[in-house]
Each structure stands twice: as C-alpha cells, then as structure tokens.
Amino acid sequence: MEIYLDNSATTKPLDEVVAAVNHMMTENYGNPSALHRRGLEAEHAVKKARSQVASLFNTGNHDVIFTSGGTESNNLAIFGSLSTIRDTSRPLVTSAIEHPSVLNIFKHLEKNGRKVIYIRTDAQGFIDLDEFKKALDDHPALVSIMTVNNEIGSIQPIAEIARLIEACDEKPVFHTDAVQAFGKIPLPSTAVDLMSVSAHKFHGPKGIGGLFVKKGARLAPLMFGGGQEGNLRPGTENAPAIVGMGTAAAWAEARLSENMDKLNQLKASVINGILKEISGVRINSPISPQFAPHILSVSFKGIRGEVLLHSLEQDGIYVATRSACSSKKKSRNHVLEALQLSPDEAEGTIRISFSSFNRQDELDYVIEKLKHHVASIRRITGWRG
C-alpha cells in the first residue's frame, strides 16, 4: 500500500491532465505564434486554457501571464513591480513566514540597500495587523503577503489587508503568493494587484504556473524576446503544460466546495485520531475557516521529524517535515520559529497534506502506524512526557 500525504509539495496529475498534455505533444503540437493551421489550433487551445485558469480566480479584472511556476511568478511580480517604481527610498513589506521564493528575494533586496519590514505573526501564524498598519505609515512601495502558508496552512486576511492598502495615500503594489490556495479555497477576486499560482499544486503538470496581473498594474519584464505573454514573459509558449494547467483548473473549479468539505473531514479524522492515540502532541493547523483544509502540521515531542518521516516511509506512507524547497537544508525553520514552538516541538514537526483522492481507510492505517512509530522512537530517545 502507498499512501501519499505530501500534496503541498506536489500532487499527482489527473488522468485527464496527462491525456491533455499528451494530445498537445503528439497531435496539437504547433507553435501558438505560427500563422498556419497548426499554429492557430495550438493558439486556440492556449486561449481556452487561459480562460479556464482565469475562471478559477473568478475575476474579469486580471490578465493571466503564464510562467514556469510559482517561483518565477513571485520573482516577476516583485522585481517587475519594483522596476517601475523610481523612488527606491520607500520600504518593502512582507511577512516573516513567506515561502523561500519570496523571502529570499527580500533578503537579496535588503543586502542591496532596500529597507524591508518583516511583519511578525502570532503563535498560530497570522500576521499582526496592528504592526502591518504601522508599516503602512512608512509609505511602502510594495507589500507581499502569502494567502496560505505552505507549512502550517494559516490563511492570511487578504481582503482586510487589501482594504488597509486601499486607504493609503500612496498605495503600494499588493502581491500575494497564492500557490497553496489556488484551486483549494475561494479567493477574493479583486483584492490584489498581483497573484502567483502553480499548476502542480492542484493536480496539473510541473513546470507551469501563472501570474494574475490586475488591469492597469505596472509591471516590467525580467526577460526580453519575442513578446509572448503580453511582453512580460517571452519565449515559445509551453502549450502542453498550459493546456494541462487549464484542464486541472476546470476540474478544481467544478469541485471546489466538494473537495474542501472532503479535505476538512479527512483532516479532522487525522487530528482526532492523533489526539486520541498519542500524547505529547501539538496541532499547529486546527480545523478552522482560518486554516486551509489540505494542510496539517503536527509536532510530536521527544522525536525527530525526519526520523518519523523515514519510519513512515517504510510502511509506504509519505509525509514531509517542512517545505520541499527547504527540506534538504540544515538551517532552522523560520515558520516554526515564528510560531514560537519549543526546540523539542520544532524538531518533532511533520506536515501531512491531503488531496481529495485520499481515503478514510488509508488514514486509519496512518494513525495506527503513527502511534507505533512515535512510541518506538520515544523508547529509543528516552522521552517520558
């Protein structure tokens, strides 16, 4: 038996996505920019996919720029916006728990002389709105706050943040990394100027993502070439992956409410099972409208998360200890530090992330194996609680 519970790192592509990609590679393989029939057929398929992706965001006020994924979208959003703003004295605002593809951009900018304000979070992973309001008094040029945290699933109050930004005399650009939200939860349709998404987080292909750009938002390209994607992302369109992303977006839109309900049920069953069967546990991602339904972060005292991960792997169960982009680094986990976890709790944290294809019988087996392995590891470490 194989039970895949690392769906925040990546998801298995839908069968219909694989079929759509295969069709584009073997049948509809023309260059979308070509003027002949093959090119026009590919262009039509890309246009349909763009509409499908836009429909999932439910807005007619943003253009979709296809990119290679969430990391490129975040870079294009932040660097592209700042290239259009002449006043480099204005600070930049982000949170302390952003994904590395955002946080490392700001660290780079900080090293090169830009002032960056990092908004702290509370013990549940929500930004301090009073601190954010104070930061807005410094007239920032750009704000980047993620929608759903990739490690603990906290959902930031994006609509409230947007309302505060709208009230500014010198309105900053507002960007959100929505990679863990898009296709998983409803999104505010007009709240942001720029929004990054990635297909492989909602059963689409790897290597394709998008940046939603609000009409009228100023953005400069990072690369130059033939002028594709509104002169913002040149290069021959990755039509197979784009069509695969569109197929996944249409699937997610049709089942959004149904999938949310199922994911919350699966998550609740695992939380209840863990709390019933295992002591010395902290749940970092409770069942709540303020937390994404597909992400569950759990801290087990007296163990190392990496040891538990590999123990579960022996039983065909796949989980994570932290973001896949940071999993091979030995540095401290900035998200868990922001939650003020004790060193013991932080070291024993794993992330379980669900998809709608997981089943209750699988999760019953997971609880059984978790109980066994946690007890076994604690006997070795001598933890008594």
Side-chain angles (χ1 to χ4, degrees):
M1 181 188 296
E2 177 177 305
I3 303 174
Y4 183 74
L5 293 171
D6 195 15
N7 289 281
S8 290
T10 196
T11 56
K12 182 180 179 180
L14 300 165
D15 290 343
E16 48 264 57
V17 166
V18 175
V21 171
N22 185 61
H23 173 74
M24 292 300 296
M25 295 185 73
T26 59
E27 301 293 334
N28 194 359
Y29 51 79
N31 186 323
S33 297
L35 297 179
H36 49 65
R37 180 168 58 87
R38 280 288 183 203
L40 294 175
E41 289 172 348
E43 181 188 25
H44 175 75
V46 168
K47 183 177 180 181
K48 178 183 176 182
R50 199 184 305 275
S51 177
Q52 289 171 318
V53 173
S55 181
L56 182 51
F57 188 30
N58 192 30
T59 175
N61 201 32
H62 290 73
D63 295 319
V64 182
I65 304 300
F66 287 118
T67 67
S68 64
T71 293
E72 184 187 338
S73 293
N74 287 335
N75 277 264
L76 176 57
I78 297 169
F79 284 119
S81 294
L82 295 180
S83 293
T84 71
I85 300 172
R86 292 186 178 181
D87 187 354
T88 59
S89 67
R90 295 172 66 186
L92 314 173
V93 176
T94 191
S95 85
I97 60 169
E98 296 294 312
H99 188 273
S101 63
V102 168
L103 207 56
N104 287 339
I105 294 174
F106 285 104
K107 289 179 180 178
H108 168 79
L109 291 166
E110 201 171 24
K111 286 180 181 178
N112 285 274
R114 294 300 296 257
K115 179 182 177 182
V116 179
I117 301 172
Y118 297 95
I119 307 299
R120 293 173 296 181
T121 68
D122 62 19
Q124 287 193 300
F126 301 105
I127 68 165
D128 185 326
L129 283 175
D130 289 332
E131 190 174 316
F132 179 73
K133 292 174 188 175
K134 185 178 179 181
L136 291 179
D137 290 339
D138 288 341
H139 309 293
L142 179 141
V143 171
S144 182
I145 303 290
M146 71 194 322
T147 303
V148 171
N149 183 266
N150 54 300
E151 295 198 34
I152 58 172
S154 52
I155 304 174
Q156 301 299 344
I158 297 299
E160 175 64 11
I161 293 169
R163 187 187 66 79
L164 294 171
I165 287 174
E166 285 292 337
C168 294
D169 292 333
E170 291 183 88
K171 180 187 168 188
V173 175
F174 183 20
H175 164 253
T176 187
D177 173 353
V179 165
Q180 289 293 345
F182 194 72
K184 305 293 180 68
I185 62 172
L187 294 164
S189 61
T190 59
V192 298
D193 297 308
L194 302 162
M195 183 177 78
S196 303
V197 301
S198 181
H200 76 104
K201 305 296 187 179
F202 56 95
H203 304 288
K206 295 178 180 66
I208 186 69
L211 180 66
F212 283 83
V213 182
K214 195 170 189 176
K215 295 185 190 307
R218 298 177 62 203
L219 200 63
L222 304 185
M223 300 181 291
F224 298 87
Q228 294 90 342
E229 295 303 300
N231 288 312
L232 288 173
R233 209 278 182 172
T236 301
E237 297 93 333
N238 186 355
I242 288 171
V243 170
M245 183 177 184
T247 303
W251 180 90
E253 181 183 15
R255 296 163 179 81
L256 188 62
S257 178
E258 172 189 339
N259 284 344
M260 285 180 63
D261 289 342
K262 179 174 182 180
L263 291 170
N264 269 318
Q265 291 172 9
L266 296 176
K267 180 177 172 180
S269 73
V270 173
I271 291 175
N272 292 335
I274 288 174
L275 293 178
K276 180 182 177 181
E277 300 291 342
I278 307 172
S279 62
V281 172
R282 169 174 163 157
I283 303 296
N284 304 314
S285 313
I287 295 294
S288 164
Q290 294 178 297
F291 283 86
H294 65 292
I295 298 176
L296 172 58
S297 172
V298 189
S299 300
F300 299 92
K301 295 181 181 179
I303 70 166
R304 287 182 57 203
E306 187 176 346
V307 174
L308 180 57
L309 179 153
H310 290 302
S311 298
L312 291 169
E313 184 181 4
Q314 293 174 9
D315 295 312
I317 300 168
Y318 296 93
V319 299
T321 54
R322 60 192 302 183
S323 164
C325 296
S326 305
S327 61
K328 295 182 180 179
K329 296 180 180 179
K330 299 301 182 183
S331 59
R332 292 180 297 180
N333 187 308
H334 69 286
V335 175
L336 300 183
E337 279 193 337
L339 299 188
Q340 301 173 17
L341 269 65
S342 69
D344 190 30
E345 289 171 329
E347 188 175 46
T349 298
I350 65 169
R351 181 187 68 185
I352 300 169
S353 47
F354 310 93
S355 86
S356 58
F357 299 116
N358 289 125
R359 305 186 312 271
Q360 186 59 52
D361 64 305
E362 293 179 334
L363 301 183
D364 293 339
Y365 177 75
V366 170
I367 296 299
E368 175 189 331
K369 292 302 179 181
L370 269 172
K371 180 182 177 181
H372 167 75
H373 289 301
V374 169
S376 177
I377 296 168
R378 283 174 173 173
R379 280 195 296 270
I380 294 171
T381 61
W383 187 83
R384 293 289 182 267

